[in-house]
Amino acid sequence: MSGVPGSPSEARTVERALPVDTVFGLLSDGRRRRVLTYLDRHEPRIEVGRLAERLTEGRDGATPEAVAIALHHVHLPKLDAAGVVSYDAAARTVEREPAADQLRPYLLLARADERGDVGTGGR
Protein backbone atom coordinates (compact mmCIF):
# COMPACT_ATOMS: atom_id res chain seq x y z
CA MET A 1 0.00 0.00 0.00
CA SER A 2 2.80 2.41 0.76
CA GLY A 3 5.97 3.28 -1.03
CA VAL A 4 4.47 4.24 -4.39
CA PRO A 5 5.81 7.72 -5.22
CA GLY A 6 3.04 10.29 -5.19
CA SER A 7 0.50 7.90 -3.66
CA PRO A 8 -1.83 9.05 -0.88
CA SER A 9 -0.18 6.62 1.54
CA GLU A 10 3.25 8.10 0.77
CA ALA A 11 1.89 11.57 1.52
CA ARG A 12 0.61 10.26 4.86
CA THR A 13 4.12 9.43 6.00
CA VAL A 14 4.64 13.18 6.51
CA GLU A 15 3.41 13.67 10.05
CA ARG A 16 0.70 16.27 10.40
CA ALA A 17 -1.22 17.11 13.53
CA LEU A 18 -4.84 16.02 13.48
CA PRO A 19 -7.28 18.81 14.31
CA VAL A 20 -8.91 18.34 17.72
CA ASP A 21 -12.40 18.14 16.14
CA THR A 22 -11.16 15.33 13.89
CA VAL A 23 -9.66 13.45 16.85
CA PHE A 24 -12.86 13.64 18.88
CA GLY A 25 -15.02 12.88 15.85
CA LEU A 26 -13.03 9.74 15.08
CA LEU A 27 -13.05 8.57 18.67
CA SER A 28 -16.71 9.39 19.33
CA ASP A 29 -17.70 5.93 18.11
CA GLY A 30 -16.84 2.84 20.14
CA ARG A 31 -16.39 0.65 17.09
CA ARG A 32 -13.79 3.02 15.62
CA ARG A 33 -12.00 3.06 18.99
CA ARG A 34 -11.95 -0.75 18.98
CA VAL A 35 -10.61 -0.82 15.39
CA LEU A 36 -7.80 1.55 16.25
CA THR A 37 -6.99 -0.30 19.46
CA TYR A 38 -6.92 -3.65 17.67
CA LEU A 39 -4.63 -2.33 14.91
CA ASP A 40 -2.36 -0.76 17.52
CA ARG A 41 -2.12 -3.78 19.81
CA HIS A 42 -2.37 -6.81 17.52
CA GLU A 43 -2.07 -6.52 13.76
CA PRO A 44 -1.27 -3.27 11.97
CA ARG A 45 -2.62 -4.74 8.69
CA ILE A 46 -5.61 -7.07 8.47
CA GLU A 47 -8.41 -8.23 6.17
CA VAL A 48 -11.74 -6.58 7.02
CA GLY A 49 -13.64 -9.85 7.53
CA ARG A 50 -11.03 -11.08 9.98
CA LEU A 51 -11.06 -7.73 11.78
CA ALA A 52 -14.86 -7.94 12.09
CA GLU A 53 -14.51 -11.41 13.63
CA ARG A 54 -11.97 -10.13 16.14
CA LEU A 55 -14.18 -7.17 17.08
CA THR A 56 -17.19 -9.40 17.77
CA GLU A 57 -15.37 -12.10 19.77
CA GLY A 58 -16.87 -12.33 23.24
CA ARG A 59 -19.48 -9.65 22.51
CA ASP A 60 -23.21 -10.18 22.40
CA GLY A 61 -25.22 -8.72 19.58
CA ALA A 62 -23.73 -7.91 16.20
CA THR A 63 -22.54 -10.64 13.85
CA PRO A 64 -19.16 -10.43 12.11
CA GLU A 65 -21.01 -9.95 8.82
CA ALA A 66 -22.96 -6.95 10.14
CA VAL A 67 -19.80 -5.47 11.64
CA ALA A 68 -17.90 -5.95 8.36
CA ILE A 69 -20.66 -4.09 6.50
CA ALA A 70 -20.55 -1.19 8.98
CA LEU A 71 -16.76 -1.10 8.80
CA HIS A 72 -16.83 -1.04 4.99
CA HIS A 73 -19.51 1.61 4.60
CA VAL A 74 -18.97 3.88 7.61
CA HIS A 75 -16.00 3.45 9.89
CA LEU A 76 -13.04 2.55 7.68
CA PRO A 77 -13.72 5.27 5.08
CA LYS A 78 -13.89 7.85 7.90
CA LEU A 79 -10.61 6.63 9.43
CA ASP A 80 -9.01 6.52 5.98
CA ALA A 81 -10.12 10.07 5.15
CA ALA A 82 -8.44 11.27 8.35
CA GLY A 83 -5.21 9.47 7.38
CA VAL A 84 -5.00 7.23 10.44
CA VAL A 85 -5.56 4.05 8.40
CA SER A 86 -5.30 3.06 4.77
CA TYR A 87 -8.41 1.23 3.67
CA ASP A 88 -8.32 -0.67 0.39
CA ALA A 89 -11.98 -1.42 -0.31
CA ALA A 90 -11.17 -3.53 -3.38
CA ALA A 91 -8.71 -5.76 -1.49
CA ARG A 92 -10.83 -5.52 1.68
CA THR A 93 -7.78 -4.72 3.83
CA VAL A 94 -7.04 -2.05 6.38
CA GLU A 95 -3.64 -0.90 7.57
CA ARG A 96 -2.73 1.35 10.48
CA GLU A 97 -0.87 4.53 9.51
CA PRO A 98 1.71 6.39 11.63
CA ALA A 99 -0.74 9.28 12.15
CA ALA A 100 -2.76 6.91 14.38
CA ASP A 101 -0.03 7.37 17.01
CA GLN A 102 -1.55 10.77 17.75
CA LEU A 103 -4.73 9.03 18.94
CA ARG A 104 -3.03 6.67 21.38
CA PRO A 105 -3.29 8.92 24.50
CA TYR A 106 -7.00 9.46 23.86
CA LEU A 107 -7.57 5.74 23.30
CA LEU A 108 -5.83 4.95 26.59
CA LEU A 109 -8.04 7.45 28.38
CA ALA A 110 -11.18 6.06 26.71
CA ARG A 111 -10.24 2.48 27.71
CA ALA A 112 -9.61 3.58 31.29
CA ASP A 113 -12.98 5.33 31.33
CA GLU A 114 -14.75 2.24 29.96
CA ARG A 115 -13.17 0.17 32.74
CA GLY A 116 -14.14 2.78 35.33
CA ASP A 117 -10.50 3.58 36.10
CA VAL A 118 -10.80 7.33 35.49
CA GLY A 119 -11.03 9.22 38.77
CA THR A 120 -13.15 12.25 39.51
CA GLY A 121 -10.19 14.55 40.08
CA GLY A 122 -10.05 14.04 43.81
CA ARG A 123 -13.72 14.60 44.50
Side-chain angles (χ1 to χ4, degrees):
M1 279 193 205
S2 59
V4 177
S7 71
S9 60
E10 180 189 52
R12 290 180 182 168
T13 61
V14 175
E15 193 70 26
R16 63 177 170 81
L18 292 170
V20 69
D21 288 342
T22 299
V23 169
F24 287 115
L26 293 174
L27 300 180
S28 67
D29 184 89
R31 187 162 288 152
R32 285 193 294 274
R33 291 192 303 271
R34 287 191 299 278
V35 165
L36 291 165
T37 297
Y38 185 85
L39 294 173
D40 187 45
R41 289 182 165 183
H42 303 286
E43 299 176 70
R45 186 171 194 274
I46 191 170
E47 191 272 327
V48 174
R50 186 168 170 208
L51 176 61
E53 290 171 3
R54 298 294 185 260
L55 295 179
T56 56
E57 286 176 351
R59 294 186 180 270
D60 294 330
T63 65
E65 295 79 16
V67 170
I69 290 168
L71 291 174
H72 173 72
H73 288 287
V74 178
H75 304 296
L76 296 178
K78 183 172 232 142
L79 293 168
D80 182 79
V84 295
V85 304
S86 288
Y87 175 48
D88 185 335
R92 305 280 292 176
T93 59
V94 61
E95 182 173 3
R96 185 183 185 280
E97 291 290 339
D101 290 345
Q102 297 175 56
L103 302 175
R104 189 175 286 134
Y106 303 101
L107 287 168
L108 292 171
L109 181 61
R111 283 195 299 268
D113 183 59
E114 290 166 359
R115 289 189 313 261
D117 293 345
V118 175
T120 58
R123 289 184 222 156

